Amino acid sequence: MSEFDYDLFVIGGGSGGVRAARLAAGLGKKVAIAEEYRLGGTCVIRGCVPKKLFVYASQFSEHFEDAKGYGWTVGKSEFDWGTLVANKDREIDRLEGLYHRGLENAGAEIIASRAELTGPNSIHIKATGQEVTARHILIAVGGTPNPHASLPGHELCIKSNEVFHLDTLPKAIIIAGGGYIAVEFANIFHGLGVETTLIYRGKEILSRFDMDMRRGLHAAMEEKGIRILCHEIFDRIERGADGRLVAHTNQGKSLVADQVMLALGRDPNTDGLGLEAAGVETGPKGEILVDEYSRSNVESIYAVGDVTNRVELTPVAIHESMCLIDTLYRDRPTSPDHDLIATAVFSQPEIGTVGLSEDDASKKFDELEIYRAEFRPMKATLSGRSEKTIMKLVVNAEDRKVLGAHILGHDAGELAQILGIVLKAGCTKDDFDRTMAVHPTASEELVTMYQPSYRIKGGERV
Ligand code: NDP
């Protein structure tokens, strides 16, 4: 008889928590997982999955326009927001059901309640008032949108949690931020016919990406009709007499819209979690500080995913959990590999990227070869759409290793996955050169850029 109620108690039923609970239970461990809202977490319930469904919905307006050049006459088209939301909700319900069944089939106990730490091995279950004990506790509670509480009128704004359940589609929206969420939703709303403004504090959107991708996407979005204001922030938000919102900016503008959305990053969800009671140390954003095996300073308590503020991406949380299970229960200490994580921005066009940007690589390596192609995608020829695809390889001149691969264009996210494998395998530019092209595709450019477009030496373009 164990001295604890559970071998593993997981707090948080998102991507990271569910994977850990399911694997541990599958290995015969006694596991409970507590979730206060819905199983699936941010990614499934109000993040990646519903967002991608919205992206698909928003692309039809361009598909209908593009059809004409290919000989199609598309009848009068109409969009119904209520239908999209209801159908999306049905799909999310289905996925949540799969999460439930996966856990149950593995033998994990699902506790539909908030759970808080009361000590290094003890947890308080809010719904029942019960206190339970566990040999190991995994905190996988994720993050929550930054509310920007210092902004007067912030309570009038929506964030990524509410955007999936708006009663009506706004006629006009202003979105603050220049990261993944702001950029993706600006494209979604624009595609659904909403007058869309993006307001960003920096000089160019998507600060963590290669400058060619940033500039290229900015230009493409403006060309479509999305208004982008850089070097600008909100001073305050008010509700006007007509019920619409007025956003006053630091540049003296007063922008009117039906919704204002804040997409200003996410904070770890650690408030009120009982971390102090258990003695768990946190960092400046409230994130749980962990070692390379995802262990906190308290020996029995681990944390994975967004709550640790390492890399806020679903597959990273899942990977961290899988490593943790190897470490704890398979006698195979494994630390998560955070190097060369491929990622996509589901803007329109998409960005797919892996590895170093030109700027970051130029700070680390003496000499770079930059291969860059910019061209009109084939589909745009007959549709007449003016759009550009950009492909770029950042190569270390010394050993020809490809350090970064960046794509702006259709299906760039799909390509990023393959490029992730290629860079992880340590491929050189010579490997790209001796790879036969697949014709006619956009991605054949990746293996036919034989000469560098330019070089970077000592940080300078030559
Ligand atoms: P990001 O970190 O991507 O972007 C936050 C944006 O808000 C940045 O442009 C930042 O500016 C700006 N910002 C932060 N604080 C302020 C402030 N006080 N005033 C004005 N602007 C501010 O966060 P998101 O909220 O977009 O997304 C959260 C995370 O979720 C992402 O980091 C990503 O990891 C994940 N995600 C991934 C997706 C995907 O894989 N496709 C999709 C959506 C989210 P600056 O750049 O100048 O710091």
Side-chain angles (χ1 to χ4, degrees):
M1 184 76 189
S2 164
E3 60 186 297
F4 299 105
D5 298 322
Y6 298 99
D7 296 312
L8 178 68
F9 193 101
V10 180
I11 307 181
S15 302
V18 167
R19 180 62 62 96
R22 193 164 55 72
L23 291 181
L27 290 171
K29 302 295 167 192
K30 189 159 188 238
V31 178
I33 177 166
E35 168 57 53
E36 62 181 327
Y37 182 50
R38 295 179 66 180
L39 283 176
T42 300
C43 173
V44 174
I45 306 297
R46 47 195 178 191
C48 324
V49 175
K51 179 275 309 286
K52 190 88 188 271
L53 296 173
F54 279 15
V55 169
Y56 286 131
S58 69
Q59 288 171 336
F60 282 94
S61 48
E62 284 195 0
H63 294 333
F64 296 148
E65 285 169 18
D66 290 354
K68 198 167 172 224
Y70 286 90
W72 287 89
T73 302
V74 178
K76 186 169 174 296
S77 60
E78 259 174 50
F79 170 70
D80 184 58
W81 172 253
T83 302
L84 172 65
V85 172
N87 288 348
K88 176 266 296 176
D89 284 345
R90 242 197 322 280
E91 173 59 8
I92 301 308
D93 289 349
R94 187 184 73 82
L95 292 174
E96 190 184 5
L98 290 180
Y99 271 72
H100 257 278
R101 279 199 294 286
L103 285 165
E104 279 167 0
N105 291 345
E109 181 185 343
I110 302 169
I111 300 176
S113 168
R114 181 170 173 80
E116 294 167 5
L117 299 173
T118 51
N121 297 95
S122 56
I123 307 108
H124 173 73
I125 313 282
K126 265 262 167 98
T128 59
Q130 230 184 332
E131 176 134 332
V132 297
T133 59
R135 180 178 300 280
H136 295 125
I137 297 171
L138 174 62
I139 303 174
V141 293
T144 184
N146 167 6
H148 203 355
S150 59
L151 173 71
H154 68 92
E155 68 284 355
L156 300 171
C157 305
I158 57 166
K159 299 180 289 297
S160 55
N161 284 353
E162 297 82 30
V163 75
F164 293 107
H165 284 107
L166 295 178
D167 289 340
T168 54
L169 183 68
K171 284 198 169 48
I173 190 164
I174 309 165
I175 303 177
Y180 284 86
I181 296 179
V183 164
E184 291 180 342
F185 272 94
N187 282 278
I188 289 169
F189 279 114
H190 171 78
L192 297 177
V194 178
E195 183 193 314
T196 304
T197 304
L198 187 73
I199 172 165
Y200 172 53
R201 67 177 171 185
K203 73 168 190 256
E204 188 54 279
I205 57 172
L206 292 173
S207 56
R208 284 179 274 169
F209 289 77
D210 184 272
M211 193 49 98
D212 268 309
M213 304 293 109
R214 300 166 65 188
R215 289 203 190 109
L217 180 62
H218 184 142
M221 287 170 64
E222 282 192 329
E223 169 97 25
K224 286 172 199 278
I226 299 171
R227 184 178 183 203
I228 302 180
L229 306 172
C230 286
H231 287 307
E232 202 154 342
I233 53 170
F234 291 143
D235 263 352
R236 63 183 199 285
I237 315 291
E238 291 170 344
R239 192 171 293 284
D242 61 356
R244 299 186 87 197
L245 296 173
V246 187
H248 301 276
T249 79
N250 63 337
Q251 306 285 337
K253 293 192 191 88
S254 298
L255 310 168
V256 179
D258 307 290
Q259 294 287 356
V260 175
M261 177 173 170
L262 303 178
L264 304 174
R266 295 172 60 82
D267 300 327
N269 216 354
T270 45
D271 274 359
L273 202 58
L275 297 178
E276 311 75 22
V280 176
E281 279 175 11
T282 53
K285 279 184 81 178
E287 73 275 20
I288 295 178
L289 301 173
V290 291
D291 68 11
E292 71 268 38
Y293 296 105
S294 302
R295 177 180 265 176
S296 76
N297 63 308
V298 177
E299 214 182 319
S300 52
I301 300 181
Y302 294 77
V304 294
D306 288 4
V307 76
T308 63
N309 197 32
R310 285 178 282 185
V311 183
E312 294 173 299
L313 294 170
T314 299
V316 174
I318 292 172
H319 173 72
E320 289 168 357
S321 280
M322 289 166 68
C323 291
L324 179 63
I325 295 303
D326 278 353
T327 302
L328 286 181
Y329 302 127
R330 290 201 178 103
D331 203 15
R332 245 179 1 224
T334 309
S335 53
D337 177 2
H338 292 116
D339 189 32
L340 287 173
I341 297 169
T343 178
V345 183
F346 293 99
S347 45
Q348 299 166 41
E350 292 177 6
I351 291 178
T353 180
V354 57
L356 296 175
S357 67
E358 179 183 322
D359 281 351
D360 288 344
S362 69
K363 288 177 195 130
K364 291 192 175 160
F365 297 89
D366 285 345
E367 188 174 345
L368 302 175
E369 293 172 1
I370 307 294
Y371 297 81
R372 186 186 186 284
E374 181 167 338
F375 55 94
R376 193 176 191 195
M378 197 172 177
K379 190 178 169 204
T381 54
L382 296 200
S383 70
R385 186 169 293 285
S386 81
E387 68 175 49
K388 292 280 189 321
T389 292
I390 301 177
M391 296 198 177
K392 184 169 176 182
L393 297 176
V394 179
V395 176
N396 181 10
E398 192 184 353
D399 58 7
R400 308 268 293 151
K401 216 161 195 182
V402 179
L403 304 170
H406 312 280
I407 300 175
L408 173 75
H410 291 292
D411 297 325
E414 300 291 337
L415 292 171
Q417 184 64 81
I418 308 300
L419 287 169
I421 302 170
V422 170
L423 265 69
K424 205 76 185 159
C427 286
T428 64
K429 182 63 173 60
D430 303 315
D431 295 318
F432 278 66
D433 290 346
R434 63 194 177 82
T435 300
M436 198 70 80
V438 179
H439 184 72
T441 62
S443 53
E444 68 184 297
E445 289 291 329
L446 288 170
V447 297
T448 52
M449 296 188 283
Y450 298 113
Q451 295 301 324
S453 308
Y454 55 93
R455 286 169 184 276
I456 305 283
K457 241 182 181 167
E460 297 292 322
R461 183 167 169 161
V462 291

